[in-house]
Amino acid sequence: MRRREFLIRSATAAGAAWLSSKSILSGLANATLPAKFAASDTVTLGSTGIKTSRLAMGTGTVGSGHHSHQTALGVKGLSDLLLNGYDHGLRFFDAADSYGSHPHVAEALKHVSRDKVTVLSKTWARDPATARADLDRFRRELGTDYLDVCLMHCVTEGDWTERYKGVMDVLSEAKQKGTIRAHGCSCHSIEALRAAAKSPWVEIDLARINPVGAYMDSDPATVVGVLKEMKAAGKAVVGMKILGQGDLRNRQHEAIKYALSLAVLDAFTIGAESKSEQEDLIRRISAA
């Protein structure tokens, strides 16, 4: 294909995607959902038997290198935010090693009954030895004997279920021993997401989804198709990037309504940076 033709086609496709996203958001503005929802609704994560709140409290809206927007609040600041969410009925703590949020979650856990909250964390381990070491370290850092959910963080390869089978085996063994209650992955490519949908090992998937395709594995329609396959297989689907990593900060109502309208998400995670922002999210979910 000649360069000029390629550029024209690319521009046309980008314009169509932009118009489609605008159409989706416009349609959602006045749409009516078939049911009432609340952030504090008790949901069951797929076939795991784990019951938790519909809204998870994210600790890494933008997180890497053991730091995130949320951990910048400090241990007390973020733990107080988690406890504020708990007081409003939220029971799902979404942590990760790469966010550096374990000490903050650990501080919050000192003030609640451990069996009343769901603690999720994520490992970047790509070999069995690192995975075992991570599970031991995570539990020490979090001050808990077990994790409710441990995910392989940010898998991208289409063949990850074969390439990283050793890590999967470690997590399966940990589940048998009661060190974790469920395992799965967070995906960062459509190939990895499709592999997760087909893998019997994946019990929970953390998937990027929003109506405009921001920071997602593919366009919304393609991703939703894969998530429906997961849901049909009994997997838990937890949505992330609901607000497009901030791209939809001015269209929160439509973005939240979109997530609730899909009928494929068991729960979804959003990271707030203040109590007022957190309480606003809670109100918006009820208003949707």
Side-chain angles (χ1 to χ4, degrees):
M1 184 186 299
R2 293 179 180 176
R3 184 173 184 273
R4 178 179 173 81
E5 184 182 354
F6 172 78
L7 291 173
I8 291 172
R9 289 190 182 182
S10 297
T12 301
W18 183 83
L19 288 173
S20 176
S21 67
K22 293 286 285 185
S23 177
I24 289 171
L25 287 171
S26 297
L28 285 168
N30 299 311
T32 301
L33 294 177
K36 294 293 291 181
F37 297 94
S40 60
D41 286 341
T42 298
V43 300
T44 302
L45 300 180
S47 301
T48 66
I50 296 173
K51 296 183 183 299
T52 191
S53 59
R54 184 178 304 282
L55 178 63
M57 292 179 280
T59 60
T61 301
V62 179
S64 64
H66 303 285
H67 182 269
S68 75
H69 288 187
Q70 281 72 33
T71 60
L73 299 172
V75 171
K76 186 177 189 307
L78 180 49
S79 64
D80 283 352
L81 184 59
L82 295 172
L83 291 173
N84 185 67
Y86 183 89
D87 289 342
H88 285 80
L90 306 186
R91 298 292 184 265
F92 200 164
F93 294 175
D94 172 21
D97 185 33
S98 65
Y99 308 158
S101 57
H102 289 167
H104 311 70
V105 173
E107 180 61 30
L109 289 175
K110 293 177 183 178
H111 304 281
V112 299
S113 297
R114 176 63 184 87
D115 62 352
K116 299 296 184 183
V117 294
T118 300
V119 177
L120 178 154
S121 193
K122 315 171 192 82
T123 172
W124 273 91
R126 296 300 188 257
D127 64 83
T130 303
R132 289 191 182 91
D134 277 358
L135 286 174
D136 290 339
R137 177 169 59 86
F138 288 9
R139 288 182 295 146
R140 288 196 304 272
E141 290 175 352
L142 288 162
T144 182
D145 294 332
Y146 68 95
L147 301 178
D148 294 282
V149 182
C150 187
L151 304 180
M152 293 181 64
H153 202 168
C154 195
V155 293
T156 59
E157 301 88 349
D159 65 347
W160 72 267
T161 55
E162 293 298 324
R163 186 179 300 199
Y164 303 128
K165 190 174 185 306
V167 176
M168 295 161 65
D169 289 343
V170 169
L171 295 180
S172 294
E173 179 184 347
K175 182 183 175 183
Q176 292 174 353
K177 292 180 177 180
T179 303
I180 66 175
R181 296 176 64 195
H183 45 62
C185 62
S186 69
C187 296
H188 283 244
S189 79
I190 192 62
E191 294 80 12
L193 191 69
R194 285 174 172 145
K198 291 176 171 55
S199 171
W201 179 85
V202 174
E203 298 172 311
I204 297 178
D205 185 88
L206 189 59
R208 302 187 290 182
I209 183 69
N210 57 70
V212 300
Y215 300 94
M216 281 176 51
D217 301 330
S218 186
D219 63 275
T222 298
V223 170
V224 169
V226 180
L227 299 187
K228 286 181 178 179
E229 181 183 346
M230 288 182 170
K231 186 76 170 176
K235 303 180 189 303
V237 182
V238 178
M240 62 173 167
K241 305 300 182 191
I242 302 300
L243 302 180
Q245 200 167 299
D247 283 6
L248 289 166
R249 64 171 58 88
N250 296 321
R251 306 297 296 270
Q252 292 185 48
H253 182 72
E254 292 96 330
I256 289 170
K257 184 172 282 191
Y258 175 75
L260 293 170
S261 73
L262 294 174
V264 294
L265 302 181
D266 295 287
F268 51 86
T269 181
I270 301 177
E273 296 179 40
S274 68
K275 291 180 181 178
S276 60
E277 184 181 359
Q278 182 184 68
E279 290 168 15
D280 181 62
L281 284 168
I282 292 169
R283 284 192 295 269
R284 287 178 185 275
I285 291 171
S286 295

